[in-house]
Amino acid sequence: MNFEDLELNEDLLDALYDMRFEKCTPIQEQCIPYILANRDLIGIAQTGTGKTAAYLLPLLTLLRRDPHPSDAVNCLIMAPTRELARQIDQALQGFSYYMDINGVAVYGGNDGIRYEQERKSLTSGADIVIATPGRLITHLNLGTLDLSRTTHLILDEADRMLDMGFCEDILKIVEHLPEKRQTILFSATMPEKIAELARNIMHDPAEVRIAVSKPAEKISQSVYICKEGDKTGIIRHIFTERKPERVIVFASSKQKVKDLHIRLMKDGYNVAAMHSDLEQKQRDDVMLAFKAQRIDVLVATDIVARGIDIDDITLVINYDAPRDAEDYVHRIGRTARAGREGRAVTLVGERDRMALSAIEKLLNEKIPRADLPEGMETPARTKSGFSEKSAKTGQGNRKNKHPRKNKPQVTSEKSEKDAPTSRPRSETSSPKKSNNRHRRKTRGQKKQAETSD
Ligand code: AMP
């Protein structure tokens, strides 16, 4: 289905044309009509499916289609992490490029300047507030934020918010909203606690489910069964086979990330680290540098595993197998985005075997084993039931190679460059109106006349 077939705002369709969004993804095709009909909605979909546009596009349409007060926060979007909040904000900037929409991202950081910026933006009014729960509570407690007229609530990655212990915060926040509202919940999984939350805060929700917990088919997966101490050597081996570019290495603890970062840096790789000990500014800088391809390898904790939209990732390496099998799907989902190909390699040491079993159970398939580099041995069988047989040596797996592909630019230049985190939308959008606006060919005479002005 094309976006033009849905009852979306015309200015929005212009922005989608510029961004080269043509066909809806399945989650978009199924969710957009429900949201446009003002229904509550539960969307079960992981990142990479296009879920952000699935709720932002109809919401922006509703904000313009139906009467909404200009001095109220009309729409609240909650996200578990600053990175996701920021990414949603960037998507919003792209989609609302030709619209006069005020959006404010409220996601914390430890500096007073940032807080003051948020406070000012909130006071001057916002159609849409994108927030992490903790920071939102701070603003509510300090009286900087009034949600009493907010008619649209979106919980993005609700399962992750609950995993992070935000359930009470969410319920507290919901108490500030009017009873009569539209509530939209997106989650990668549907455990009982999400169903319970939905029962508490939603009204007769429609449900859309898009294949959960399955990695994209184009990801070529492999596993190295190795000794814990050989992991860095295997990474070096992989990087020797092919110069690393657009690579993310996930490790499950901050310490491992820091250690590996230092080791790879000493080896001369162009590498950066991403973990929650970094200041917000440092985190932003690292993500921006990686996005802009100034960094080849990003070593990160699961902070980057979900919801973060970084394009062109060719290779994801799991330095360890994540304990939560769902996280495996999220981690490797950073590659092979939007139908492209990618490779995911998992290093399974002695302590990762149980986690590997859980992952393979979830996927319902055995992940192909790669041959260890020469001189390395598979660890011996242990009581844990690990059944890899003899030691394997030889050349690394050469099957899983994919040429790097260029992705069409889908995020707006504006969001890549300016990336303001908290700003009145009108400040950034209005100058564009007078620029040479790139119109869709299918628009009528009236719109064409506007272009030639
Ligand atoms: P999400 O699941 O929202 O994180 O989106 C994953 C990626 O797909 C992002 O880079 C989006 O910009 C891109 N995307 C989402 N919907 C479409 C679409 N209909 N056409 C092309 N790209 C899309």
Side-chain angles (χ1 to χ4, degrees):
M1 182 185 271
N2 292 328
F3 286 105
E4 302 224 350
D5 300 329
L6 294 160
E7 303 284 306
L8 293 170
N9 178 284
E10 286 283 303
D11 290 332
L12 205 49
L13 291 175
D14 280 343
L16 290 175
Y17 176 80
D18 288 353
M19 295 164 81
R20 292 176 218 153
F21 277 40
E22 285 158 21
K23 297 224 174 307
C24 301
T25 64
I27 190 86
Q28 291 159 359
E29 184 174 334
Q30 293 181 56
C31 289
I32 290 174
Y34 282 125
I35 300 176
L36 287 177
N38 271 308
R39 284 279 305 269
D40 279 9
L41 173 79
I42 301 177
I44 308 291
Q46 57 198 57
T47 45
T49 54
K51 68 180 173 55
T52 317
Y55 64 80
L56 281 182
L57 301 179
L59 277 172
L60 287 165
T61 301
L62 287 180
L63 284 175
R64 283 295 156 265
R65 190 191 73 184
D66 302 337
H68 283 85
S70 57
D71 59 342
V73 172
N74 292 307
C75 175
L76 171 65
I77 301 172
M78 282 208 277
T81 60
R82 296 168 193 178
E83 280 69 28
L84 182 59
R86 182 175 170 158
Q87 189 180 301
I88 297 167
D89 185 36
Q90 289 180 350
L92 175 63
Q93 286 182 59
F95 297 143
S96 65
Y97 201 67
Y98 296 126
M99 301 173 88
D100 197 11
I101 290 282
N102 291 332
V104 177
V106 170
Y107 51 73
N110 299 325
D111 57 300
I113 301 168
R114 218 204 120 71
Y115 171 78
E116 193 48 30
Q117 275 174 356
E118 291 177 1
R119 193 192 62 76
K120 270 198 196 137
S121 303
L122 291 172
T123 317
S124 55
D127 292 305
I128 300 181
V129 168
I130 304 160
T132 51
R135 187 63 154 212
L136 195 70
I137 294 268
T138 310
H139 282 285
L140 280 173
N141 288 344
L142 293 169
T144 359
L145 179 61
D146 174 14
L147 296 176
S148 65
R149 290 183 291 162
T150 305
T151 42
H152 306 275
L153 170 68
I154 294 88
L155 304 176
D156 199 348
E157 298 203 351
D159 52 346
R160 183 128 193 248
M161 283 199 273
L162 297 196
D163 286 348
M164 290 168 78
F166 285 134
C167 188
E168 267 183 37
D169 284 349
I170 292 172
L171 294 174
K172 216 182 288 172
I173 290 163
V174 169
E175 276 172 23
H176 286 75
L177 275 87
E179 268 287 298
K180 197 165 168 349
R181 59 165 192 270
Q182 180 179 38
T183 308
I184 298 161
L185 181 153
F186 274 89
S187 180
T189 55
M190 190 62 183
E192 173 50 30
K193 56 189 178 182
I194 290 286
E196 194 186 329
L197 177 71
R199 282 194 294 275
N200 279 332
I201 65 169
M202 302 183 86
H203 174 70
D204 185 26
E207 195 176 308
V208 171
R209 236 173 233 272
I210 300 296
V212 192
S213 301
K214 293 281 174 213
E217 278 174 16
K218 294 207 165 179
I219 305 176
S220 159
Q221 302 173 61
S222 61
V223 157
Y224 284 88
I225 307 292
C226 60
K227 293 181 180 165
E228 206 58 42
D230 284 340
K231 286 183 170 181
T232 310
I234 294 174
I235 293 180
R236 287 188 187 115
H237 170 80
I238 293 170
F239 288 175
T240 312
E241 278 195 311
R242 175 183 292 189
K243 185 179 174 298
E245 275 175 348
R246 316 305 289 140
V247 176
I248 302 184
V249 185
F250 283 107
S252 56
S253 74
K254 287 183 258 189
Q255 199 49 52
K256 279 189 193 170
V257 166
K258 290 176 191 173
D259 292 347
L260 185 61
H261 173 223
I262 292 170
R263 263 176 269 149
L264 293 178
M265 217 161 43
K266 281 188 180 158
D267 285 350
Y269 292 110
N270 179 16
V271 60
M274 177 74 174
H275 49 78
S276 59
D277 276 354
L278 298 179
E279 295 286 326
Q280 184 60 40
K281 166 92 175 56
Q282 295 171 303
R283 282 156 93 169
D284 291 347
D285 289 349
V286 169
M287 294 313 284
L288 220 61
F290 189 57
K291 269 193 171 188
Q293 310 198 5
R294 293 197 299 275
I295 289 168
D296 294 325
V297 182
L298 183 69
V299 187
T301 56
D302 281 305
I303 201 167
V304 178
R306 289 215 207 184
I308 304 306
D309 177 26
I310 310 167
D311 297 319
D312 279 358
I313 301 300
T314 54
L315 170 65
V316 168
I317 299 177
N318 293 310
Y319 187 76
D320 42 31
R323 297 290 165 265
D324 182 345
E326 289 276 352
D327 282 342
Y328 175 81
V329 180
H330 291 297
R331 284 184 180 188
I332 72 168
R334 301 304 92 212
T335 186
R337 312 261 295 170
R340 287 181 303 276
E341 295 185 338
R343 180 183 171 199
V345 170
T346 303
L347 309 183
V348 177
E350 292 89 330
R351 290 194 289 269
D352 298 313
R353 291 164 188 176
M354 298 288 276
L356 176 65
S357 308
I359 291 164
E360 293 188 321
K361 204 166 154 202
L362 178 82
L363 302 182
N364 201 20
E365 66 182 44
K366 185 165 168 166
I367 304 171
R369 271 49 174 168
D371 292 340
L372 288 170
E374 246 166 34
M376 290 186 196
E377 285 186 359
T378 304
R381 195 181 175 119
T382 68
K383 277 186 199 159
S384 69
F386 181 62
S387 59
E388 302 297 323
K389 286 180 202 126
S390 56
K392 294 172 188 163
T393 56
Q395 298 300 303
N397 183 5
R398 292 179 181 274
K399 277 182 206 155
N400 302 310
K401 286 190 170 184
H402 298 284
R404 188 169 161 220
K405 287 191 177 175
N406 287 329
K407 175 193 183 282
Q409 191 68 34
V410 286
T411 47
S412 76
E413 233 177 74
K414 185 175 105 181
S415 51
E416 293 283 327
K417 281 186 189 157
D418 302 351
T421 49
S422 171
R423 75 274 163 258
R425 180 90 40 216
S426 50
E427 278 176 17
T428 53
S429 59
S430 42
K432 294 293 179 309
K433 302 252 173 203
S434 59
N435 286 351
N436 245 355
R437 210 167 133 170
H438 189 60
R439 288 287 182 183
R440 286 177 294 139
K441 292 188 184 87
T442 49
R443 302 296 297 272
Q445 278 304 111
K446 184 169 161 277
K447 288 281 182 186
Q448 279 176 11
E450 267 178 49
T451 330
S452 55
D453 281 347

